[in-house]
Amino acid sequence: MAWNATNPAGLIAEYLKSPDDLSKITALRRKLTREHATLSAKLKIGAKDQLEATREGLLQLQSTRRDTAGIHEVFSQIESMFQDAQYEGGTMKETRGASSFRTISELSQVRRALDQTSGLLTKLEQLPNEIAGLAQLMDEYHANLIGPAPDLLSLHFRIMQWEAFRNETLHLAVGSEEAVQQQLVHMLAPLDALLSSFETYLMLLCANILNLVRAGHQGVVVRLIKILERENREDEKTAAIRLAKRANIEGSARFRSIATYGHTIKLYRLKLQEALHLTTQRRLEASWNEAQEPTPLSFFEQVQWIYQDLELVRTAVVPLFPESYHIYRTYVQTYHRALGEVLQEKVAVEDAAATELLELYHVAQQHQNRLMDPVRGIDETWLQPSLLGGREENIMGDYLALLTRKIDEWTATLMHDEITAFVTREKAPEESANGMYLLSSCVILFRMINQQMDTAAHAGDPELLVRVIDHACTVMRNCQASWLQIVQQEFKKQTTAKRPEDVNGGLVEYMIALSNDQLASADQSEALMARLEPLVAPQYKAHVRENIDNTLNGFLDISKHCTQLLVEIVLFDLRPAFHDMFTFPAWYVEGTTTTICETVRDYASDYSARLEPNLFDVLSDDLVTRLLTAYLTTLRRSARLRMPKAAERFMADIGELTQLIASMRSLEEATSRVEVLHMIHAILSSSPTMVFLPYWTFAKTHGPNLAFLEALLRARDDMEKADATSLVESAKRKVKQEGMPDIPESGPTIMSAVSQAQTGGLLSTALLGNWAGAAGGEGIAWGALAQSAQNYLGSAGWRAGTGRS
């Protein structure tokens, strides 16, 4: 219940919202009474507990105050006794009590000094025997370095005690005579030797951690870590005391433990890393010196124990160390840096031969790959700086730069000459032995690329070869992008020029030559892949194959695109003829279709004579599709069809188109292609009452195409608009009733292209739009057209002998 103390009326209104709620007043009163009683009881208990706690606290404060006052009074009495004095004969003299107190205090100090001196003498007497025993144990441990060392912690504890004794003794002797101090130093000299021997032993253990683990003495490693941890805490304590003394912190000099503390900061954790590095470097130098004629590669093969050691560290040593030591990272960095130092010392990069440089680069890559194996769990930042101090890229970079620079220079020169010839078109393209137009870029480009690939392969570095291949593929894709831009530009000039003399002639011939050249480049790309595949390392094969395949698809893409533009040039020249199509009297009397067929036949004859046969097969297929699409699109847009003359003329067109298609394709294919025209002719020639039957046959094959049907019926001058509307509505109902899809289940047909072309012109604007951004950046953003080109050429028999589709 939400209690609103500031608005009682609101609370009452919340519970009494209707007249029926008046009967709940009694129950509400009982509920509020129970809640009030519960809250009152809780408040009373809480107040009682609080008062009791306060009372106990006050009593404790009073007791403490009385005790403090008593202590203060006793100290005041003692101070008055010590300072009590009286005048006798005009002079101040201590009282008997003050003199007695002073005597007692001095005797207490003498007793403490005697106790300290006695203890010091006892320790000095025990020192030789103790040192001898500890030294004997130390010699045993040195002799059996990879042994169990069961008393290592006890040995360290006793040595620490004697070290603390030495520090305290030397501090107490600071005010003594020089001879006494020299005598103490002489007596403590064996202890200094023991401390040095113990530290040497600890560093040897640090250097042999892996050997101890291999021998099964993990306990020694754990005891070693405990000693290092204890010494690390002592180092921290020593640093804090030195800081307190240096800063003159109040009270720090009063404590004897601080005043006599003389521990030496040992930095064992840092010395652990130094011992590991020194030992590793010595092992690596020994491996180098063992070889009769050491080379970077042979040396690297001899030091594979590095990776075995690191695996042992990861699995067996890491669990023994605290996480704060980061022992795995320490070992990885130690081995990595030691190997790099030895290689850089033994092989001077500035004076190394080419073979040594390549071997160095290979060793660096192999080392990096071995360490960066995900199973090892090594962070890449642990391997900084790199094995050769960042000079890996310099070693191979210059070599790689030379190869890529040659590719860039030769390609730039070649493309400049070829593009200039393509744009100016001052002379006809070159011809092959069988009369095909061609460009010279394919032969020159791939001769140069193959030469550079051979040079890169001789370097013996798989990655270098892959990088050269990648660069060559990038250069070829950039060439493809340049060609795409140029052909688009020249095609646009051709189709937008107001006068023929405004543009250079010969565009068709050069597009044919470029299409042939790009198909030949695809062949060369495939041959390049077959030649490089045995030379490429297995781990790079998939990458190289994908890269070259993308480049090959780019060549096919341009070749296919050129054939499409050649088709568009034909349609562009046919625009006036299509403008007169289905108009009176041009189409009905003068035979517009005949003109179109003759024009297409002339173009096809020229294309077949100069274009590679497989490309002409692709081009003729596109040309037939575009021609039928333009014909049916024009029919769809016709405003009036004079019946029955239109049906007769349409049938004649079918015959001419069949002959035209048969001249480019097979007769069987020509008959199949014009089947749709026969179905449309059936719709045109049927009486208004019988139109639905041929239409339904047409719809089952090519889809409903209701907009096309409506346009066709409305264009017939022998059919009333109302009848046409009624037939279209009947067709819509039938299509809906049968659930007929827009695209037949067998796939798109020529009518699908007609539907897409209804809003466009005869010239395919989408053809240019799809390629608008193709040359905007490095390489080409290949779309579905590459796959389309490959499929077309595959169906045409291109590279049938190789099995490529």
Side-chain angles (χ1 to χ4, degrees):
M1 178 179 67
W3 182 263
N4 190 353
T6 61
N7 189 11
L11 181 62
I12 295 173
E14 182 180 351
Y15 282 96
L16 303 179
K17 296 181 179 179
S18 65
D20 294 339
D21 292 338
L22 294 174
S23 59
K24 302 178 182 178
I25 291 179
T26 303
L28 181 61
R29 181 182 295 133
R30 285 197 298 270
K31 178 181 178 183
L32 294 175
T33 301
R34 286 196 302 271
E35 291 181 356
H36 181 268
T38 302
L39 290 175
S40 297
K42 290 181 179 179
L43 288 174
K44 288 179 180 178
I45 293 173
K48 182 180 178 181
D49 293 343
Q50 185 67 29
L51 289 173
E52 186 66 24
T54 304
R55 178 176 175 276
E56 291 179 359
L58 291 173
L59 291 176
Q60 291 178 0
L61 288 174
Q62 290 177 357
S63 175
T64 302
R65 185 175 182 180
R66 287 194 300 270
D67 294 341
T68 304
I71 294 171
H72 185 270
E73 183 178 354
V74 171
F75 272 106
S76 298
Q77 293 174 1
I78 294 173
E79 186 178 7
S80 64
M81 289 175 61
F82 184 75
Q83 296 179 352
D84 193 10
Q86 62 183 5
Y87 285 95
E88 289 186 4
T91 61
M92 180 74 71
K93 293 184 178 181
E94 291 182 340
T95 62
R96 183 179 179 182
S99 177
S100 299
F101 185 83
R102 183 177 299 279
T103 302
I104 292 171
S105 176
E106 291 175 351
L107 287 174
S108 176
Q109 293 177 8
V110 171
R111 181 179 178 82
R112 285 197 301 271
L114 287 174
D115 289 341
Q116 291 177 4
T117 303
S118 176
L120 180 62
L121 289 174
T122 302
K123 288 280 189 181
L124 289 174
E125 291 174 355
Q126 296 173 351
L127 178 63
N129 293 332
E130 285 285 336
I131 296 301
L134 294 176
Q136 182 180 358
L137 182 60
M138 196 73 261
D139 292 340
E140 294 176 1
Y141 282 0
H142 271 284
N144 187 19
L145 187 61
I146 313 299
D151 298 324
L152 182 59
L153 291 179
S154 175
L155 175 64
H156 175 252
F157 177 73
R158 291 162 67 185
I159 289 176
M160 282 190 66
Q161 286 182 323
W162 283 110
E163 183 182 11
F165 167 74
R166 182 198 65 176
N167 297 334
E168 183 177 354
T169 301
L170 293 177
H171 174 77
L172 294 174
V174 169
S176 303
E177 297 179 358
E178 183 178 355
V180 175
Q181 294 184 24
Q182 291 179 354
Q183 180 65 25
L184 280 175
V185 170
H186 177 72
M187 296 177 65
L188 295 172
L191 178 58
D192 293 336
L194 177 64
L195 291 173
S196 177
S197 176
F198 182 72
E199 180 171 330
T200 301
Y201 176 68
L202 289 183
M203 293 303 100
L204 290 174
L205 290 182
C206 291
N208 287 275
I209 289 176
L210 292 178
N211 292 330
L212 289 169
V213 172
R214 290 190 183 100
H217 298 313
Q218 288 85 349
V220 179
V221 179
V222 173
R223 290 190 283 275
L224 171 64
I225 297 170
K226 289 184 176 296
I227 292 173
L228 298 183
E229 286 289 286
R230 176 61 186 272
E231 293 292 345
N232 185 59
R233 289 194 295 270
E234 290 296 324
D235 288 348
E236 294 175 353
K237 180 179 177 181
T238 302
I241 290 175
R242 290 181 180 179
L243 178 62
K245 290 180 179 180
R246 189 178 298 113
N248 295 322
I249 297 178
E250 183 180 358
S252 62
R254 298 185 199 173
F255 299 99
R256 182 171 175 270
S257 60
I258 294 179
T260 62
Y261 192 82
H263 177 79
T264 303
I265 294 179
K266 299 174 182 176
L267 301 175
Y268 276 156
R269 290 185 65 168
L270 178 61
K271 291 179 180 179
L272 165 65
Q273 299 177 11
E274 293 176 350
L276 293 176
H277 183 271
L278 181 61
T279 304
T280 304
Q281 194 170 34
R282 287 175 178 173
R283 291 177 65 189
L284 291 170
E285 289 179 349
S287 297
W288 180 276
N289 295 330
E290 287 175 1
Q292 295 181 352
E293 296 181 358
T295 63
L297 193 57
S298 63
F299 167 69
F300 183 68
E301 292 174 352
Q302 291 180 358
V303 297
Q304 295 302 303
W305 48 263
I306 289 177
Y307 311 104
Q308 300 169 5
D309 285 2
L310 292 179
E311 184 62 19
L312 181 61
V313 172
R314 186 179 70 86
T315 57
V317 177
V318 170
L320 304 178
F321 274 79
E323 186 177 354
S324 60
Y325 275 72
H326 303 291
I327 192 64
Y328 187 38
R329 181 176 67 186
T330 300
Y331 266 95
V332 171
Q333 292 177 335
T334 298
Y335 278 45
H336 174 71
R337 291 171 183 172
L339 178 61
E341 289 172 3
V342 171
L343 285 173
Q344 294 177 49
E345 177 187 354
K346 302 298 183 181
V347 182
V349 176
E350 295 78 9
D351 302 328
T355 304
E356 289 182 324
L357 287 177
L358 293 174
E359 287 190 6
L360 270 179
Y361 184 79
H362 177 70
V363 168
Q365 293 301 313
Q366 289 292 324
H367 174 73
Q368 183 80 7
N369 294 336
R370 290 287 295 275
L371 292 186
M372 290 310 297
D373 187 338
V375 177
R376 296 185 181 275
I378 295 176
D379 193 302
E380 192 173 2
T381 57
W382 299 357
L383 306 181
Q384 297 299 329
S386 61
L387 189 67
L388 302 180
R391 290 184 291 181
E392 291 88 346
E393 294 299 328
N394 294 335
I395 292 174
M396 301 305 295
D398 294 340
Y399 192 72
L400 176 64
L402 177 62
L403 300 180
T404 56
R405 186 170 63 251
K406 290 296 182 182
I407 294 176
D408 292 340
E409 291 175 355
W410 294 344
T411 305
T413 302
L414 175 65
M415 287 298 295
H416 177 269
D417 295 340
E418 291 293 325
I419 289 177
T420 300
F422 188 93
V423 173
T424 58
R425 299 190 287 277
E426 295 177 351
K427 60 179 181 179
E430 299 178 8
E431 296 184 17
S432 65
N434 54 0
M436 303 295 173
Y437 283 139
L438 52 83
L439 301 178
S440 59
S441 60
C442 173
V443 176
I444 300 175
L445 175 65
F446 279 92
R447 182 186 302 157
M448 175 266 297
I449 289 176
N450 281 309
Q451 179 182 347
Q452 298 307 307
M453 295 301 171
D454 291 338
T455 305
H458 290 158
D461 178 37
E463 185 173 352
L464 176 67
L465 176 60
V466 172
R467 293 173 69 179
V468 173
I469 293 172
D470 290 345
H471 185 79
C473 290
T474 300
V475 168
M476 286 189 284
R477 288 195 291 270
N478 287 338
C479 292
Q480 294 164 7
S482 299
W483 277 125
L484 283 172
Q485 185 178 6
I486 292 300
V487 296
Q488 294 285 6
Q489 172 184 313
E490 295 302 307
F491 177 76
K492 185 176 181 180
K493 289 180 182 178
Q494 186 82 12
T495 55
T496 57
K498 295 182 179 179
R499 296 178 302 173
E501 55 270 20
D502 292 341
V503 294
N504 297 327
L507 180 61
V508 170
E509 289 78 3
Y510 269 87
M511 278 196 175
I512 292 174
L514 179 60
S515 184
N516 289 335
D517 180 80
Q518 297 300 295
L519 184 62
S521 297
D523 280 337
Q524 291 292 332
S525 298
E526 190 174 39
L528 179 66
M529 181 68 250
R531 195 170 71 85
L532 291 176
E533 195 163 9
L535 305 177
V536 176
Q539 65 268 29
Y540 299 120
K541 284 184 183 293
H543 168 75
V544 170
R545 187 178 298 109
E546 179 183 3
N547 214 349
I548 296 181
D549 276 343
N550 289 338
T551 305
L552 183 150
N553 287 337
F555 287 125
L556 295 181
D557 233 346
I558 299 175
S559 184
K560 177 66 161 58
H561 188 57
C562 287
T563 61
Q564 289 181 322
L565 291 181
L566 290 171
V567 170
E568 296 304 319
I569 289 175
V570 177
L571 270 295
F572 180 78
D573 285 352
L574 292 176
R575 285 190 306 169
F578 274 107
H579 181 73
D580 292 337
M581 184 67 72
F582 303 110
T583 61
F584 184 85
W587 181 60
Y588 292 89
V589 179
E590 299 172 4
T592 305
T593 307
T594 302
T595 303
I596 291 175
C597 290
E598 290 302 323
T599 303
V600 172
R601 189 174 284 108
D602 290 341
Y603 269 106
S605 177
D606 294 339
Y607 290 165
S608 65
R610 301 296 187 176
L611 196 61
E612 205 277 340
N614 291 328
L615 288 176
F616 177 74
D617 190 74
V618 174
L619 179 143
S620 61
D621 183 78
D622 287 345
L623 181 57
V624 170
T625 300
R626 289 287 289 118
L627 180 62
L628 293 178
T629 301
Y631 183 84
L632 293 176
T633 302
T634 307
L635 174 63
R636 157 72 177 81
R637 295 173 179 173
S638 62
R640 181 185 179 188
L641 294 174
R642 300 172 183 267
M643 305 300 294
K645 184 63 176 176
E648 296 173 359
R649 181 68 256 182
F650 192 86
M651 189 62 188
D653 287 354
I654 294 175
E656 293 186 29
L657 290 172
T658 303
Q659 293 178 6
L660 174 64
I661 297 172
S663 67
M664 295 183 290
R665 318 288 295 180
S666 66
L667 179 60
E668 182 181 357
E669 182 178 347
T671 304
S672 175
R673 289 291 189 96
V674 299
E675 181 185 3
V676 64
L677 300 181
H678 286 288
M679 293 181 178
I680 295 173
H681 176 263
I683 298 174
L684 279 176
S685 59
S686 297
S687 63
T689 58
M690 300 298 293
V691 166
F692 185 81
L693 293 178
Y695 163 72
W696 192 245
T697 302
F698 165 82
K700 287 189 292 183
T701 303
H702 298 281
N705 291 285
L706 293 171
F708 182 83
L709 173 65
E710 184 176 4
L712 197 61
L713 296 181
R714 289 184 179 276
R716 287 180 54 170
D717 62 357
D718 63 341
M719 184 176 292
E720 297 294 333
K721 290 185 178 180
D723 294 339
T725 302
S726 176
L727 285 171
V728 172
E729 292 299 325
S730 298
K732 288 181 180 179
R733 288 193 299 271
K734 182 64 174 177
V735 168
K736 184 177 181 181
Q737 179 182 352
E738 295 293 333
M740 181 178 291
D742 291 338
I743 299 177
E745 296 180 358
S746 58
T749 67
I750 187 67
M751 293 306 300
S752 301
V754 173
S755 298
Q756 295 176 1
Q758 285 179 4
T759 57
L762 294 180
L763 189 62
S764 179
T765 57
L767 184 66
L768 296 177
N770 290 338
W771 292 80
E778 183 180 1
I780 299 174
W782 305 114
L785 190 55
Q787 184 61 43
S788 171
Q790 207 167 17
N791 292 339
Y792 270 114
L793 291 170
S795 63
W798 176 75
R799 301 299 294 169
T802 64
R804 180 181 289 276
S805 60

